Amino acid sequence: MNETLRKSLESAALAVRSRAYAPYSKFQVGAALLAADGQIFAGCNVENASYGLTICAERVAIGSAVAAGHKQIVAVAVATSGGHSPCGACRQVLSEFGPAMEVILIDADDPMRTRTTTLAVLLPEQFSSGAL
């Protein structure tokens, strides 16, 4: 991915993070996905008093992309305080749409600590039903 596109993806993740609804954990997360055609889809975490109903930022972004007709994701940028990687459930969901995708982990407190990996490294043996 070129540098301009990467910066746009990172900026989208950081911007949407500020809109997260996280009154319980105070842990705001923003995610931005890059579809195969170059479009960017963003999402933030949305917590709920019934904590199991909380929706992660990555899954909100996936829902937006799929709702717009996109099912091939080539990269994701995730912005958190500390630069944390997606949870296991989000790794599995992301793998459905791009098992080899690039993953950019942004430390919102210190963007110089941003690092890049791949979903294959984060989830080396994703579950597959074999249906696709």
Side-chain angles (χ1 to χ4, degrees), residues 39-66:
Q39 288 189 60
I40 293 175
F41 297 90
C44 58
N45 57 319
V46 181
E47 292 183 351
N48 188 278
S50 177
Y51 212 66
L53 299 178
T54 292
I55 307 168
C56 296
E58 298 88 341
R59 286 184 273 161
V60 171
I62 284 285
S64 294
V66 170

Side-chain angles (χ1 to χ4, degrees), residues 2 10 35 40 42 65-66 70 92-93 106-107 127-128 130:
N2 69 46
E10 291 177 8
I40 293 175
V66 170
H70 297 273
Q92 180 61 43
V93 170
I106 305 165
D107 183 339
F127 174 79
S128 173

Side-chain angles (χ1 to χ4, degrees), residues 8-28:
S8 294
L9 194 62
E10 291 177 8
S11 293
L14 285 165
V16 74
R17 178 180 178 263
S18 68
R19 295 190 289 272
Y21 180 73
Y24 307 104
S25 72
K26 309 290 189 237
F27 190 73
Q28 296 178 301

Side-chain angles (χ1 to χ4, degrees), residues 73-110:
I73 307 301
V74 296
V76 60
V78 180
T80 66
S81 179
H84 298 280
S85 65
C87 72
C90 286
R91 292 176 192 195
Q92 180 61 43
V93 170
L94 288 167
S95 76
E96 187 84 9
F97 300 95
M101 76 176 65
E102 183 176 348
V103 180
I104 303 164
L105 303 171
I106 305 165
D107 183 339
D109 301 323
D110 183 3

